Amino acid sequence: MPMKKILFSVLIVVFSVTLNAQEKVALKMNLEKNRVYRLRSASTQTVTQTVNGVPQTTESEVTYSMSLKMLDSKPEFMVAEVRFDTIVTVTNTMGKVTTISSLTGGDITSSESDAVLSCIMNRLSKNALYVRFDYSGKPVEIVNARILPELVLKDTSGITLKGPVAQAVKNQIAEAVSEANLRTMIEQYTHFLPGREVAPGEQWIISQQTVSGGMMLDISTTYRFDRLNGGMAEITAESSIRASDNAVPIQSSGATVTYNDLKGMSRAAMTVDAATGMRVEETGKTHIAGNLGISAPGFSMQMPMDINGETKITGL
């Protein structure tokens, strides 16, 4: 083979290797120590349940804001201080509007459930979580998970609510400060990265189990790195959602509610700062549908349920 042809072939190989190396991007959490990163999510959700052929609709708006500060890092993990600065939920159930807000002090002794829950959310917003993350953004451990409930749930013996409402609120409070729920709240902001180098067109899958409204759901999300645009990674995501195999039925006012039939999909598009691994923006839509099984002594029925939601996450 002539020398010029050999040299030309070598140059093509070298150029191709260099080009491929440039296309790959390390998408992982890479936070600057002691810098505070802030994110906000705003979600709307419409739940329609059909009872005896009559649709009943509940609409909700949920706003969270979270701050994240990396305190220390090791080759295998990093430790960060996490705060939920704002937790606000506005729910409209057949014309009845309730607001749960961490921005108000609330009142643990109130006869109104939203005031009691607002008090708990206010306490949660004032206490930091110390979280160990891996570099995919997964919260592996909440270091102070055992101490936090003691701080947030103090004085709950003063709750004056009575009957089924009291039990429902106490269950909601216990779920709110559980480590599983706190991880879920954090994961929606952080756990979506491959934690390694990826090239445009490459995909990765993240599986999560979450509890929402007392329902245990499995979510499997396929992420695709589409392109790098000015230091920003553009990523699309598609999730399949279903009731967990080990889903525990909900106990409500003496009735047992099963939800094994629920299935859904979610699609989202996000822009991520490739240097830090933090979201700049994400928009997504979710649809879940199926039948709830409701049973009590001498009573059994199927209730169709349809859930539509939209979420937007923004870096502040």
Side-chain angles (χ1 to χ4, degrees), residues 5-219:
K5 191 171 183 179
I6 294 174
L7 181 60
F8 183 66
S9 300
V10 170
L11 287 174
I12 289 176
V13 172
V14 171
F15 179 74
S16 298
V17 170
T18 304
L19 184 61
N20 288 335
Q22 288 174 343
E23 288 178 341
K24 285 196 170 185
V25 178
L27 291 180
K28 62 180 184 178
M29 288 191 78
N30 184 31
L31 308 185
E32 181 182 335
K33 188 174 182 179
N34 292 325
R35 175 182 170 185
V36 178
Y37 299 83
R38 291 187 171 87
L39 294 152
R40 178 181 183 271
S41 73
S43 302
T44 58
Q45 182 174 276
T46 301
V47 180
T48 303
Q49 296 173 312
T50 303
V51 182
N52 296 324
V54 180
Q56 298 181 353
T57 300
T58 299
E59 299 176 334
S60 61
E61 297 179 4
V62 181
T63 303
Y64 289 164
S65 62
M66 186 189 83
S67 58
L68 181 71
K69 181 170 69 173
M70 192 267 282
L71 303 176
D72 194 18
S73 63
K74 305 292 182 184
E76 301 82 13
F77 64 88
M78 55 174 277
V79 176
E81 178 186 284
V82 175
R83 291 180 180 271
F84 290 102
D85 303 308
T86 306
I87 308 169
V88 180
T89 302
V90 181
T91 305
N92 184 334
T93 305
M94 306 290 288
K96 181 182 179 180
V97 179
T98 59
T99 301
I100 300 169
S101 175
S102 65
L103 300 176
T104 66
D107 182 359
I108 200 71
T109 64
S110 174
S111 59
E112 300 293 334
S113 60
D114 50 349
V116 175
L117 291 166
S118 291
C119 177
I120 297 300
M121 294 303 105
N122 178 264
R123 292 176 181 178
L124 180 58
S125 71
K126 291 180 177 179
N127 286 277
L129 304 173
Y130 296 97
V131 184
R132 184 163 63 91
F133 292 92
D134 68 19
Y135 287 97
S136 73
K138 180 180 180 178
V140 178
E141 179 188 12
I142 299 176
V143 179
N144 59 335
R146 292 185 178 181
I147 300 173
L148 186 70
E150 296 177 9
L151 300 173
V152 175
L153 301 182
K154 62 181 180 180
D155 305 330
T156 50
S157 58
I159 293 176
T160 59
L161 298 172
K162 303 295 183 183
V165 173
Q167 190 57 54
V169 168
K170 288 177 180 178
N171 291 343
Q172 193 169 346
I173 288 172
E175 180 183 323
V177 298
S178 68
E179 183 170 6
N181 182 65
L182 295 172
R183 285 192 189 189
T184 297
M185 291 172 69
I186 296 168
E187 280 182 332
Q188 70 169 324
Y189 291 106
T190 64
H191 190 202
F192 58 91
L193 299 164
R196 56 180 172 82
E197 284 192 341
V198 289
E202 194 168 346
Q203 298 181 343
W204 62 96
I205 297 173
I206 293 179
S207 297
Q208 299 167 309
Q209 189 174 80
T210 183
V211 177
S212 178
M215 297 186 295
M216 187 177 295
L217 304 174
D218 287 341
I219 303 175

